Amino acid sequence: MRTQVVIIGSGPSGLLLGQLLHNAGIDTIILEQKSKDYVLGRIRAGVLEQGAVALIEEAGAGVRMRHEGLVHDGIEIEFGGERHRIDFKALTGKTVTVYGQTEVTHDLMDVREACGAPTVYEALDVSIHDVESNHPKVRWTKSGQPYEIECDFVAGCDGFHGVSRQTFPADKLHTFERVYPFGWLGVLVDKPPVSDELIYVNHERGFALCSMRSTTRSRYYLQCRLDEHVEEWSDDRFWEELLLRLDSQVAARLQTGPSIEKSIAPLRSFVAEPMRRGRLFLAGDAAHIVPPTGAKGLNLAASDIAYLSRALIGFYKSSSTAGLDSYSQTALARIWKAERFSWWMTQALHTFPESSGFDRKIQKAELEYLFNSRAAQTALAENYVGLPY
Ligand code: APR
Ligand code: PHB
């Protein structure tokens, strides 16, 4: 077997790359260790920068997003019981689109199936070989049978726990990490959201976020301890705690109901450098993780894929290796800015268990400055709607 690009992982990174390459006439195969239903069952964030929206449209997967995506002109940030609006449209001329990552994945899978490009689900024991040569090979097993494929390039789009990053020799990879001392407990509910826009809440009991998937489906989060288990959180307990963290106006609008999904996610910042080894390229969560506070995870995957797809298309169309050679450096420059922003949003909005009186005063000063300075609001807005790529 032979193809041009083997893509490992059928999350948003792998699917987007597969479609952009297919549209340019480049053959790919996607190897995914889970089943299609499992991949589609994962609930993740749902805020898209304009760059990500444009890329999904370029991939030919934008029809439903255009109809069902909710365009948001700003967000609200609540502190000390008062809400302050950050008007992205007025400050930057840009907006974001609320459309769930699960839906993005679904739409990309549909267009891939429609064009007949191959995806192998439940591909186990994926291993990557000879990436320092011009003919890398990827092996896997499916239903107990071994397979091997030769290719020109391997795209490691297999997320934080994938095999691609682990293929780098330890002395060729530098990693940078911050683990935060709390998690997010998330609930999905079929009730209209409390507001037309997202509300990020800094409360002394802990951070809270009121988000949404549509005009009838809401997503709420509570900052929780890392040693808590989801079973300890009945729906009633979740709603009671959320009400304590919201101001009275928002609390009065909250429509509660039975949760249709409930999970706890830890918060982490992580970057691996470089993102290339020979003919293996990392993209998305395989190379970096952001805490969810700025909703940057999927958007960073999109900018990696924009750079990587252009680089691969440049190689096949004009025999140029320039894009491939600069990929890691170009992608990392944008990644670190999103890492900084996600870290900043996280430290500004959460209650840190070990923070001193000094830390809390600094956090208060930071937010008061933000609410009173157009320059500070513009900085937040510019980063939230996404830096250019
Ligand atoms: N072999 C094959 N597939 C694998 C392997 C492996 N060894 N390891 C992981 N995978 C698959 C996972 O099952 C998953 O479907 O790779 C896929 C990676 O997808 P994501 O984790 O969604 O990562 P990515 O596509 O980079 O998307 C980034 O997803 O995790 C969120 O917050 C993140 O929004 C961001 C986006
Ligand atoms: C979500 O809707 O899941 C969401 C929105 C914004 C964030 C994080 C998560 O910052």
Side-chain angles (χ1 to χ4, degrees):
M1 274 202 278
R2 196 189 141 73
T3 192
Q4 290 174 299
V5 181
V6 172
I7 299 172
I8 306 178
S10 90
S13 302
L15 288 163
L16 252 182
L17 180 65
Q19 218 48 39
L20 294 167
L21 296 184
H22 173 84
N23 295 347
I26 299 165
D27 289 333
T28 64
I29 184 170
I30 295 185
L31 303 176
E32 165 59 53
Q33 72 176 358
K34 302 287 189 192
S35 68
K36 183 176 173 182
D37 286 347
Y38 181 94
V39 174
L40 287 174
R42 290 192 290 232
I43 307 288
R44 279 154 173 190
V47 179
L48 302 176
E49 298 171 359
Q50 283 182 8
V53 167
L55 208 64
I56 292 164
E57 288 186 335
E58 193 184 323
V63 179
R64 202 158 62 97
M65 176 182 67
R66 254 194 312 278
H67 282 107
E68 296 177 18
L70 306 171
V71 174
H72 284 201
D73 293 351
I75 54 170
E76 285 189 296
I77 297 184
E78 181 165 332
F79 178 61
E82 278 179 32
R83 271 174 289 127
H84 304 263
R85 181 155 188 269
I86 311 289
D87 189 333
F88 300 154
K89 187 89 178 281
L91 294 161
T92 68
K94 292 186 183 154
T95 57
V96 292
T97 298
V98 170
Y99 188 65
Q101 180 174 320
T102 313
E103 310 312 318
V104 173
T105 308
H106 208 300
D107 297 346
L108 285 164
M109 282 179 171
D110 285 353
V111 288
R112 185 166 179 88
E113 271 171 37
C115 72
T119 302
V120 181
Y121 291 104
E122 296 172 77
L124 303 180
D125 313 314
V126 169
S127 61
I128 307 166
H129 306 270
D130 306 332
V131 293
E132 309 279 10
S133 80
N134 286 345
H135 305 285
K137 288 171 200 68
V138 179
R139 300 193 186 117
W140 73 97
T141 62
K142 166 125 182 158
S143 311
Q145 290 289 315
Y147 296 87
E148 179 180 289
I149 191 162
E150 195 185 284
C151 57
D152 301 327
F153 299 100
V154 182
C157 301
D158 46 353
F160 184 64
H161 300 288
V163 67
S164 302
R165 194 178 66 251
Q166 289 162 24
T167 308
F168 283 58
D171 64 341
K172 295 276 188 287
L173 196 72
H174 295 274
T175 59
F176 304 85
E177 187 169 39
R178 168 147 307 173
V179 176
Y180 300 89
F182 40 73
W184 277 19
L185 168 65
V187 154
L188 196 64
V189 62
D190 270 328
K191 290 284 177 189
V194 277
S195 168
D196 293 343
E197 293 182 340
L198 272 60
I199 307 176
Y200 289 82
V201 184
N202 175 319
H203 192 279
E204 58 203 13
R205 295 182 67 87
F207 170 81
L209 171 61
C210 306
S211 181
M212 67 193 74
R213 290 290 173 273
S214 68
T215 51
T216 56
R217 182 171 283 190
S218 307
R219 180 76 167 155
Y220 295 100
Y221 295 97
L222 290 176
Q223 175 183 344
C224 64
R225 292 194 322 274
L226 279 174
D227 60 3
E228 289 184 277
H229 299 284
V230 76
E231 303 76 42
E232 299 162 22
W233 283 89
S234 65
D235 287 356
D236 285 348
R237 181 173 171 215
F238 182 91
W239 298 124
E240 275 164 31
E241 182 62 33
L242 180 60
L243 282 166
L244 291 174
R245 299 187 193 185
L246 303 177
D247 70 271
S248 53
Q249 264 186 352
V250 174
R253 292 201 300 262
L254 180 69
Q255 294 193 40
T256 64
S259 63
I260 49 177
E261 197 267 352
K262 196 188 286 157
S263 53
I264 293 182
L267 271 70
R268 180 199 302 268
S269 299
F270 173 87
V271 181
E273 298 185 355
M275 291 166 67
R276 172 192 191 171
R277 178 179 163 229
R279 288 185 166 235
L280 167 64
F281 294 84
L282 302 180
D285 276 18
H288 42 79
I289 297 289
V290 283
T293 326
K296 288 287 163 241
L298 175 56
N299 293 300
L300 270 188
S303 57
D304 286 358
I305 295 304
Y307 297 132
L308 185 56
S309 61
R310 281 180 219 149
L312 289 166
I313 293 167
F315 176 85
Y316 284 109
K317 300 292 174 228
S318 356
S319 309
S320 164
T321 61
L324 295 173
D325 293 339
S326 60
Y327 167 70
S328 180
Q329 207 187 345
T330 312
L332 282 163
R334 188 173 192 278
I335 288 159
W336 274 111
K337 294 184 188 81
E339 290 284 347
R340 185 206 67 81
F341 176 65
S342 307
W343 160 83
W344 179 82
M345 285 279 281
T346 303
Q347 58 91 30
L349 296 176
H350 289 76
T351 301
F352 282 73
E354 264 142 48
S355 73
S356 62
F358 180 84
D359 296 328
R360 284 192 293 277
K361 289 282 188 190
I362 291 289
Q363 192 186 55
K364 182 168 181 283
E366 176 105 53
L367 288 169
E368 284 173 0
Y369 172 59
L370 172 69
F371 301 140
N372 289 294
S373 159
R374 188 178 167 94
Q377 289 177 25
T378 306
L380 189 159
E382 248 173 23
N383 282 279
Y384 199 102
V385 301
L387 298 175
Y389 56 93

